[in-house]
Amino acid sequence: MVHLGYHASHEQFKPSQLLEWVQRAEQAGFTHALSSDHFLPWSEDQGQSGFAWSWLGAAMQATNLHFRIVNAPGQRYHPAIIAQAAGTLMEMFPHRFWLTVGSGQAVNEHITGAHWPSKGDRNCRLKECIDIMRALWAGETVNHHGLVTVEDAQLYTRPDYQPKIIGAAITPKTAEWLGGWADGLITTSRPPEQLKPLVEAFRRGGGEGKPMILKVQLSYDRTQEAALAGAHQQWRNNVFESVMLSDTRTVEQFDVAGAFVTPADMEGQVRISADPQQHLDWLKTDIELGFDELILHNVNTAQAQFIDTFGETVIPALTKK
């Protein structure tokens, strides 16, 4: 049975408001949640960027949802610190938290002043971080000198199980690489003809039978016009190719690029519809591709009606036995 989750977008809402949204999402029938982990938003119009790790403890205590977070260890975060943070949540809330990891984006990571590596080096650094965190969760004392440095690190508080690490990919090349070492895949929604090669690459690389999570970027509102306007106002800076999303450094630069994105350009990048049945049909196609967890991100600001409407119509249709 597919699991349905709510995306908690720290770039768009204050942490206190997000706490109310995840509580409402649970009441509506969502069972999972995905937290973003940004230092800066994608645009001035979004205008928020709370510290996700502080918020997660409160959100997991306030709900019974299963949480994931998209994290990039290695530059802004040292992997030993992330292993400690995740290990604490996993000890407090066993089997309710999965760490999802990616190679990061310059807009968040460049704030440390460190060199922003090439994609190949970022991938190598990420794999080093994963090996370090797994060793720490296993109770080992870790010393490592490579693209990251760890000396005499040991976790005294940790879960009594080896946590799953889900790898993030938006290209088939990265997905195939993840298949060999990640415990699962997370990616973002796009047309089926673009998603299918990514799924096949993940399975070919060693991901056959592993869980696959899809972050579904949609815009639902009472009218088609409102759904389109909301998507454009909030998410126009996120429609670019992977290399630009990864390497652009500042919110101002994203806003300059986004100024050239028209409402019509949003089609195909975000699922825009005022018809819940249309969204349901799209989600059924995702399930047919093999995704067993769908995290729904309503990219506009009309969260209450999205949560309530999908709780009444979409969730029952996808989760009924």
Side-chain angles (χ1 to χ4, degrees), residues 60-213:
M60 295 186 76
Q61 178 64 29
T63 72
N64 290 308
L65 296 173
H66 292 251
F67 277 83
R68 291 84 175 86
I69 187 170
V70 182
N71 178 262
Q75 186 158 330
R76 179 170 47 122
Y77 293 116
H78 192 281
I81 300 303
I82 294 302
Q84 184 186 33
T88 296
L89 289 174
M90 292 165 180
E91 193 283 328
M92 295 172 67
F93 309 104
H95 302 286
R96 282 181 53 203
F97 180 79
W98 286 5
L99 185 63
T100 71
V101 296
S103 60
Q105 294 142 342
V107 67
N108 298 306
E109 309 307 319
H110 86 281
I111 63 165
T112 65
H115 168 68
W116 180 238
S118 68
K119 174 62 173 173
D121 287 345
R122 297 202 307 272
N123 281 352
C124 291
R125 182 176 66 182
L126 175 61
K127 185 57 170 60
E128 284 188 19
C129 291
I130 300 311
D131 293 340
I132 290 164
M133 291 191 292
R134 283 175 168 161
L136 289 168
W137 290 329
E140 299 176 22
T141 298
V142 176
N143 286 279
H144 178 88
H145 295 84
L147 294 174
V148 293
T149 299
V150 185
E151 294 187 353
D152 303 322
Q154 181 181 359
L155 288 184
Y156 283 82
T157 297
R158 61 182 190 275
D160 59 4
Y161 60 94
Q162 187 63 237
K164 291 185 182 297
I165 293 182
I166 307 300
I170 54 177
T171 67
K173 182 179 179 180
T174 300
E176 184 169 0
W177 173 66
L178 291 174
W181 59 263
D183 298 310
L185 169 73
I186 185 169
T187 189
T188 55
S189 57
R190 66 208 75 167
E193 62 272 16
Q194 296 178 27
L195 270 180
K196 187 176 179 180
L198 189 143
V199 169
E200 292 173 345
F202 177 67
R203 290 171 173 165
R204 184 170 60 249
E208 187 70 44
K210 295 179 180 179
M212 296 195 303
I213 303 170

Side-chain angles (χ1 to χ4, degrees), residues 2-65:
V2 68
H3 300 294
L4 293 175
Y6 172 81
H7 181 64
S9 181
H10 285 276
E11 306 95 293
Q12 296 177 271
F13 302 100
K14 294 179 180 179
S16 55
Q17 180 66 75
L18 273 184
L19 190 60
E20 295 180 15
W21 291 147
V22 292
Q23 290 174 309
R24 189 170 187 142
E26 182 179 32
Q27 293 168 359
F30 289 91
T31 58
H32 292 63
L34 175 70
S35 172
S36 59
D37 187 4
H38 268 234
F39 191 86
L40 297 169
W42 296 101
S43 71
E44 289 292 340
D45 282 338
Q46 291 178 350
Q48 294 291 330
S49 196
F51 186 53
W53 291 91
S54 299
W55 179 85
L56 277 168
M60 295 186 76
Q61 178 64 29
T63 72
N64 290 308
L65 296 173

Side-chain angles (χ1 to χ4, degrees), residues 40-45 107 110 236-237 240 244 248-260:
L40 297 169
W42 296 101
S43 71
E44 289 292 340
D45 282 338
V107 67
H110 86 281
R236 64 185 178 273
N237 292 4
F240 304 110
M244 182 168 174
T248 301
R249 289 170 55 91
T250 69
V251 177
E252 181 182 16
Q253 288 169 345
F254 272 112
D255 278 338
V256 169
F260 294 93

Side-chain angles (χ1 to χ4, degrees), residues 250-300:
T250 69
V251 177
E252 181 182 16
Q253 288 169 345
F254 272 112
D255 278 338
V256 169
F260 294 93
V261 177
T262 69
D265 294 329
M266 302 302 296
E267 299 288 348
Q269 305 295 325
V270 176
R271 297 176 182 178
I272 301 169
S273 178
D275 180 7
Q277 182 61 49
Q278 176 62 78
H279 288 285
L280 180 58
D281 291 342
W282 281 323
L283 295 170
K284 287 179 177 179
T285 300
D286 299 328
I287 296 170
E288 291 171 359
L289 285 171
F291 290 96
D292 40 31
E293 184 175 321
L294 306 176
I295 304 290
L296 309 187
H297 180 192
N298 188 47
V299 302
N300 65 55

